[in-house]
Amino acid sequence: MKMKIKTHQKSEKSDLIKAAQPSINLRSGSLTTATPRFGSTNGGDHPNPGGIKAYAAQTATASLGPFAIQRRDVGDNDVQMEILYCGVCHSDLHMVRNEWHQTVYPCVPGHEIVGRVIAVGREVEKFKEGDLAGVGCMVDSCRTCSSCEQGLEQYCEHGPVQTYNSEDTHLGGVTYGGYSKSIVVDEAFVLRVSDKLNLAAVAPLLCAGITTYSPLRHWKVSKGQKVGIVGLGGLGHMAVKFARSFGAHVVLFTTSPEKGADAIRLGAHEVVVSKDQGEMNKHLNSFDFILDAVSAEHDINAYLNLLKVDGTLTLVGLPEKPLGIAAFNLIGRRRQFAGSMIGGIAETQEMLDYCADHGIVSDVELISIDQVNEAYERMVKGQVKYRFVIDMASL
Ligand SMILES: [Zn+2]
Ligand SMILES: [Zn+2]
């Protein structure tokens, strides 16, 4: 997911006056042993003088390496989590390498975070110490604009506060993400995580999962519909699982014939090699909905032509160059071309609960933190099935 750095001013919150919580256990291994205090800032008197272990990129061309960061004290509405697992999203790589020309260094990426609550502020209602919890792509938003009021924080008119590389209104500088030992987030942006599922495999649900779940729900994918998923990567493999689970007839489009067997295993009913024009032609004018998860350059018209009357093609991938759409491919059958980005907090919780009820997780390859640079190289080559997840015990 890509969003602009938030630039608006928000009102001062109560973070400057935070009462110490006598009942809070701040034990977090090597992270911190001090208690919160009044008026503490990111200055020299911070309770984590040695810093919290993290992994950061210092420049666009440097490898990620060890780095110490500060987290804010636990405010009244805050949840502090020890991070257990963090997924590796393609956005992390784009941001680390400044491919979107907005990265502030040092950059600590990671927005597919699963962990255990180690402290809560006194106003926190949803979480208690010891609970499992998750944090996705956002850690705050204005909460008052029309998007926020509708639970669409991802489309906050002032730009949501991203989990990393957004302005940090508490400590200054930019926010730091999940490639770290712990994080402090307002409970309004913390998700409940079930203990029924493999926690490492839950982590990618926080970005790849909700990015595909939300559009499939918004366009009401259901039984009796024919649904196409374009691309079998981190996003595509989750889209196949969800579309199948929602009852649709699922067709996976790929340029790699060797991915066919895996697509069927993941839940696709049919696989179409998109380079084969004959195969593509068999599906003309037949789809209710197509979710396009490809970020590489590709011919969007080839997929628009597969939609039936009133069908919708929705992008969740991020091709770098503008797409050339032939107008007749839309107007000829009243087709719709759309886009979608992650999901709101309430919908993300709905997705996590749905996954717990239906046993849906991401297919992951667990790595240690010192393998993350190698993982980036493999991700560029598409050599991952289908998401790397960092075991934060290795940090
Ligand atoms: Zn992501
Ligand atoms: Zn807003």
PDB file of all heavy atoms in Angstrom, residues 281-296:
ATOM      1  N   ASN A 281      -9.853 -15.817 -25.007  1.00  0.00           N
ATOM      2  CA  ASN A 281     -11.065 -15.607 -25.805  1.00  0.00           C
ATOM      3  C   ASN A 281     -12.238 -16.461 -25.315  1.00  0.00           C
ATOM      4  O   ASN A 281     -13.406 -16.075 -25.464  1.00  0.00           O
ATOM      5  CB  ASN A 281     -10.791 -15.896 -27.280  1.00  0.00           C
ATOM      6  CG  ASN A 281      -9.950 -14.792 -27.915  1.00  0.00           C
ATOM      7  OD1 ASN A 281      -9.846 -13.696 -27.361  1.00  0.00           O
ATOM      8  ND2 ASN A 281      -9.354 -15.087 -29.061  1.00  0.00           N
ATOM      9  N   LYS A 282     -11.922 -17.621 -24.736  1.00  0.00           N
ATOM     10  CA  LYS A 282     -13.003 -18.479 -24.233  1.00  0.00           C
ATOM     11  C   LYS A 282     -13.799 -17.812 -23.110  1.00  0.00           C
ATOM     12  O   LYS A 282     -14.898 -18.239 -22.781  1.00  0.00           O
ATOM     13  CB  LYS A 282     -12.412 -19.794 -23.695  1.00  0.00           C
ATOM     14  CG  LYS A 282     -11.943 -20.761 -24.756  1.00  0.00           C
ATOM     15  CD  LYS A 282     -11.470 -22.054 -24.086  1.00  0.00           C
ATOM     16  CE  LYS A 282     -10.484 -22.774 -24.969  1.00  0.00           C
ATOM     17  NZ  LYS A 282      -9.671 -23.745 -24.222  1.00  0.00           N
ATOM     18  N   HIS A 283     -13.190 -16.797 -22.480  1.00  0.00           N
ATOM     19  CA  HIS A 283     -13.834 -16.167 -21.319  1.00  0.00           C
ATOM     20  C   HIS A 283     -14.379 -14.765 -21.609  1.00  0.00           C
ATOM     21  O   HIS A 283     -14.771 -14.050 -20.692  1.00  0.00           O
ATOM     22  CB  HIS A 283     -12.829 -16.089 -20.164  1.00  0.00           C
ATOM     23  CG  HIS A 283     -12.436 -17.436 -19.636  1.00  0.00           C
ATOM     24  ND1 HIS A 283     -13.142 -18.063 -18.634  1.00  0.00           N
ATOM     25  CD2 HIS A 283     -11.427 -18.271 -19.980  1.00  0.00           C
ATOM     26  CE1 HIS A 283     -12.564 -19.233 -18.381  1.00  0.00           C
ATOM     27  NE2 HIS A 283     -11.531 -19.393 -19.171  1.00  0.00           N
ATOM     28  N   LEU A 284     -14.423 -14.363 -22.875  1.00  0.00           N
ATOM     29  CA  LEU A 284     -14.910 -13.020 -23.220  1.00  0.00           C
ATOM     30  C   LEU A 284     -16.315 -12.783 -22.657  1.00  0.00           C
ATOM     31  O   LEU A 284     -17.169 -13.669 -22.687  1.00  0.00           O
ATOM     32  CB  LEU A 284     -14.954 -12.855 -24.751  1.00  0.00           C
ATOM     33  CG  LEU A 284     -13.602 -12.673 -25.463  1.00  0.00           C
ATOM     34  CD1 LEU A 284     -13.797 -12.750 -26.979  1.00  0.00           C
ATOM     35  CD2 LEU A 284     -12.947 -11.357 -25.063  1.00  0.00           C
ATOM     36  N   ASN A 285     -16.523 -11.586 -22.131  1.00  0.00           N
ATOM     37  CA  ASN A 285     -17.862 -11.135 -21.695  1.00  0.00           C
ATOM     38  C   ASN A 285     -18.517 -12.050 -20.660  1.00  0.00           C
ATOM     39  O   ASN A 285     -19.744 -12.177 -20.641  1.00  0.00           O
ATOM     40  CB  ASN A 285     -18.812 -11.034 -22.911  1.00  0.00           C
ATOM     41  CG  ASN A 285     -18.203 -10.249 -24.047  1.00  0.00           C
ATOM     42  OD1 ASN A 285     -17.535  -9.243 -23.809  1.00  0.00           O
ATOM     43  ND2 ASN A 285     -18.405 -10.708 -25.272  1.00  0.00           N
ATOM     44  N   SER A 286     -17.738 -12.650 -19.796  1.00  0.00           N
ATOM     45  CA  SER A 286     -18.341 -13.649 -18.902  1.00  0.00           C
ATOM     46  C   SER A 286     -18.162 -13.392 -17.405  1.00  0.00           C
ATOM     47  O   SER A 286     -18.791 -14.062 -16.589  1.00  0.00           O
ATOM     48  CB  SER A 286     -17.773 -15.039 -19.226  1.00  0.00           C
ATOM     49  OG  SER A 286     -16.396 -15.100 -18.900  1.00  0.00           O
ATOM     50  N   PHE A 287     -17.337 -12.422 -17.033  1.00  0.00           N
ATOM     51  CA  PHE A 287     -17.043 -12.245 -15.595  1.00  0.00           C
ATOM     52  C   PHE A 287     -17.925 -11.179 -14.936  1.00  0.00           C
ATOM     53  O   PHE A 287     -18.151 -10.105 -15.486  1.00  0.00           O
ATOM     54  CB  PHE A 287     -15.572 -11.845 -15.395  1.00  0.00           C
ATOM     55  CG  PHE A 287     -14.632 -13.010 -15.496  1.00  0.00           C
ATOM     56  CD1 PHE A 287     -14.134 -13.398 -16.733  1.00  0.00           C
ATOM     57  CD2 PHE A 287     -14.263 -13.726 -14.371  1.00  0.00           C
ATOM     58  CE1 PHE A 287     -13.272 -14.478 -16.836  1.00  0.00           C
ATOM     59  CE2 PHE A 287     -13.403 -14.802 -14.465  1.00  0.00           C
ATOM     60  CZ  PHE A 287     -12.904 -15.191 -15.702  1.00  0.00           C
ATOM     61  N   ASP A 288     -18.364 -11.484 -13.715  1.00  0.00           N
ATOM     62  CA  ASP A 288     -19.054 -10.482 -12.906  1.00  0.00           C
ATOM     63  C   ASP A 288     -18.059  -9.495 -12.311  1.00  0.00           C
ATOM     64  O   ASP A 288     -18.337  -8.311 -12.167  1.00  0.00           O
ATOM     65  CB  ASP A 288     -19.794 -11.169 -11.748  1.00  0.00           C
ATOM     66  CG  ASP A 288     -20.889 -12.082 -12.230  1.00  0.00           C
ATOM     67  OD1 ASP A 288     -21.981 -11.566 -12.545  1.00  0.00           O
ATOM     68  OD2 ASP A 288     -20.644 -13.310 -12.328  1.00  0.00           O
ATOM     69  N   PHE A 289     -16.907 -10.015 -11.927  1.00  0.00           N
ATOM     70  CA  PHE A 289     -15.943  -9.186 -11.199  1.00  0.00           C
ATOM     71  C   PHE A 289     -14.544  -9.740 -11.441  1.00  0.00           C
ATOM     72  O   PHE A 289     -14.344 -10.956 -11.458  1.00  0.00           O
ATOM     73  CB  PHE A 289     -16.267  -9.221  -9.697  1.00  0.00           C
ATOM     74  CG  PHE A 289     -15.390  -8.343  -8.853  1.00  0.00           C
ATOM     75  CD1 PHE A 289     -15.572  -6.967  -8.834  1.00  0.00           C
ATOM     76  CD2 PHE A 289     -14.375  -8.887  -8.069  1.00  0.00           C
ATOM     77  CE1 PHE A 289     -14.757  -6.147  -8.051  1.00  0.00           C
ATOM     78  CE2 PHE A 289     -13.566  -8.078  -7.282  1.00  0.00           C
ATOM     79  CZ  PHE A 289     -13.754  -6.700  -7.279  1.00  0.00           C
ATOM     80  N   ILE A 290     -13.594  -8.820 -11.629  1.00  0.00           N
ATOM     81  CA  ILE A 290     -12.181  -9.217 -11.740  1.00  0.00           C
ATOM     82  C   ILE A 290     -11.367  -8.341 -10.798  1.00  0.00           C
ATOM     83  O   ILE A 290     -11.512  -7.112 -10.794  1.00  0.00           O
ATOM     84  CB  ILE A 290     -11.656  -9.069 -13.196  1.00  0.00           C
ATOM     85  CG1 ILE A 290     -12.422 -10.010 -14.133  1.00  0.00           C
ATOM     86  CG2 ILE A 290     -10.155  -9.359 -13.251  1.00  0.00           C
ATOM     87  CD1 ILE A 290     -12.032  -9.867 -15.612  1.00  0.00           C
ATOM     88  N   LEU A 291     -10.526  -8.979  -9.981  1.00  0.00           N
ATOM     89  CA  LEU A 291      -9.619  -8.245  -9.096  1.00  0.00           C
ATOM     90  C   LEU A 291      -8.215  -8.367  -9.680  1.00  0.00           C
ATOM     91  O   LEU A 291      -7.689  -9.468  -9.828  1.00  0.00           O
ATOM     92  CB  LEU A 291      -9.665  -8.842  -7.686  1.00  0.00           C
ATOM     93  CG  LEU A 291      -8.963  -7.998  -6.616  1.00  0.00           C
ATOM     94  CD1 LEU A 291      -9.765  -6.732  -6.315  1.00  0.00           C
ATOM     95  CD2 LEU A 291      -8.758  -8.807  -5.341  1.00  0.00           C
ATOM     96  N   ASP A 292      -7.632  -7.215  -9.994  1.00  0.00           N
ATOM     97  CA  ASP A 292      -6.324  -7.198 -10.651  1.00  0.00           C
ATOM     98  C   ASP A 292      -5.260  -6.823  -9.624  1.00  0.00           C
ATOM     99  O   ASP A 292      -5.193  -5.685  -9.155  1.00  0.00           O
ATOM    100  CB  ASP A 292      -6.362  -6.179 -11.800  1.00  0.00           C
ATOM    101  CG  ASP A 292      -5.094  -6.193 -12.631  1.00  0.00           C
ATOM    102  OD1 ASP A 292      -4.046  -6.627 -12.129  1.00  0.00           O
ATOM    103  OD2 ASP A 292      -5.153  -5.736 -13.795  1.00  0.00           O
ATOM    104  N   ALA A 293      -4.425  -7.804  -9.271  1.00  0.00           N
ATOM    105  CA  ALA A 293      -3.424  -7.610  -8.215  1.00  0.00           C
ATOM    106  C   ALA A 293      -2.011  -7.475  -8.769  1.00  0.00           C
ATOM    107  O   ALA A 293      -1.037  -7.661  -8.048  1.00  0.00           O
ATOM    108  CB  ALA A 293      -3.492  -8.786  -7.230  1.00  0.00           C
ATOM    109  N   VAL A 294      -1.910  -7.132 -10.036  1.00  0.00           N
ATOM    110  CA  VAL A 294      -0.590  -7.076 -10.682  1.00  0.00           C
ATOM    111  C   VAL A 294      -0.053  -5.647 -10.695  1.00  0.00           C
ATOM    112  O   VAL A 294      -0.749  -4.715 -11.087  1.00  0.00           O
ATOM    113  CB  VAL A 294      -0.696  -7.617 -12.132  1.00  0.00           C
ATOM    114  CG1 VAL A 294       0.614  -7.418 -12.879  1.00  0.00           C
ATOM    115  CG2 VAL A 294      -1.073  -9.097 -12.105  1.00  0.00           C
ATOM    116  N   SER A 295       1.195  -5.493 -10.266  1.00  0.00           N
ATOM    117  CA  SER A 295       1.828  -4.171 -10.279  1.00  0.00           C
ATOM    118  C   SER A 295       2.738  -3.973 -11.481  1.00  0.00           C
ATOM    119  O   SER A 295       3.151  -2.852 -11.768  1.00  0.00           O
ATOM    120  CB  SER A 295       2.615  -3.955  -8.980  1.00  0.00           C
ATOM    121  OG  SER A 295       1.718  -3.830  -7.892  1.00  0.00           O
ATOM    122  N   ALA A 296       3.059  -5.056 -12.166  1.00  0.00           N
ATOM    123  CA  ALA A 296       3.883  -4.937 -13.381  1.00  0.00           C
ATOM    124  C   ALA A 296       3.016  -4.388 -14.515  1.00  0.00           C
ATOM    125  O   ALA A 296       1.784  -4.443 -14.468  1.00  0.00           O
ATOM    126  CB  ALA A 296       4.432  -6.305 -13.762  1.00  0.00           C
TER     127      ALA A 296
END
